[in-house]
Amino acid sequence: MSGQPGTPETSGTDVLPGSRSALDPGRAIKPGRHGLSPETVAGIQRERLIDAFVQVVSDRGFAHTTIGRVTEAAGVTKKTFYAHFTDLDDCFLAAYWRGMDILLARMTEVYEAAPTWPDGIHAALRTMLAVLAREPRFARASLVEVNAAGPRVRQARIDNLTRFRAFFAAPSLPPVPVAVVDAIVGGIYSAIHVQTETGETDELPSLLPSLTYFVLLPLVGREAASPYLSET
């Protein structure tokens, strides 16, 4: 029942958790005969719970998130919640892994399409910042409230940060020590975290020039990194 990396949902797999209302009439299941298979019903209920969780945790904070509030926001019963998740951390993991899978897939797509490694880093950062700015609820859940959750969720955050190492394995780069890569990734995470925690998620794209420069400077030098300070 727990959320796992790469686990597909029944539908909406390219939509970040929390971006849709769990009570959207288009996602309602009519009582009585509705013609839907049990698997389809379960998938819809699971998606609604995941969206509701992200909405509640981003609005109230993890410390004030309860299963009752999540099920109320999802329009389902607690029995339905426990049919899909063991506890709130389990639901958080499902939302977190799905959202990070989507985010990393979008970043990887533009990174691989870029003509050079610096251009790829710039494109990947631009995509990440734009996605998080458009989805402030997922941004807050995944960057801020994740630190208030249980140890399994906090470990998932660490595991996901290591996935960003793939962007530093380009053939055009000399081998980069893992500690250096992790320090760069950690610096980016910190900058985005601060802006999200202070409620300025919509301003995240403004970080693009500085963050691109921050990544490139120690690896390709000032001359190659400086032009990106004026790029948007």
Side-chain angles (χ1 to χ4, degrees), residues 130-178:
V131 168
L132 293 175
R134 288 195 303 267
E135 304 292 352
R137 281 176 163 163
F138 179 76
R140 185 163 190 86
S142 62
L143 290 163
V144 179
E145 298 305 327
V146 68
N147 298 306
R152 289 186 299 147
V153 180
R154 296 197 303 274
Q155 182 61 49
R157 178 182 63 83
I158 295 172
D159 293 342
N160 269 284
L161 287 176
T162 65
R163 298 169 75 189
F164 287 88
R165 293 173 182 170
F167 294 103
F168 296 85
S172 61
L173 283 180
V176 183
V178 171

Side-chain angles (χ1 to χ4, degrees), residues 41-127:
V41 171
I44 293 172
Q45 291 174 333
R46 179 180 172 86
E47 285 187 4
R48 284 165 53 181
L49 282 164
I50 288 173
D51 284 329
F53 173 84
V54 173
Q55 290 159 11
V56 173
V57 80
S58 63
D59 291 345
R60 293 181 174 270
F62 186 78
H64 300 288
T65 297
T66 64
I67 290 174
R69 283 173 173 161
V70 172
T71 55
E72 181 181 5
V76 301
T77 65
K78 289 185 179 180
K79 180 179 179 180
T80 298
F81 179 93
Y82 285 113
H84 295 282
F85 307 108
T86 57
D87 53 23
L88 285 174
D89 278 0
D90 201 30
C91 189
F92 205 151
L93 284 170
Y96 186 68
W97 277 113
R98 188 213 283 189
M100 291 305 298
D101 282 350
I102 293 170
L103 179 61
L104 280 162
R106 293 181 185 178
M107 292 175 66
T108 300
E109 181 179 8
V110 297
Y111 169 79
E112 292 180 345
T116 67
W117 181 74
D119 285 340
I121 290 296
H122 182 257
L125 286 172
R126 180 174 55 205
T127 295

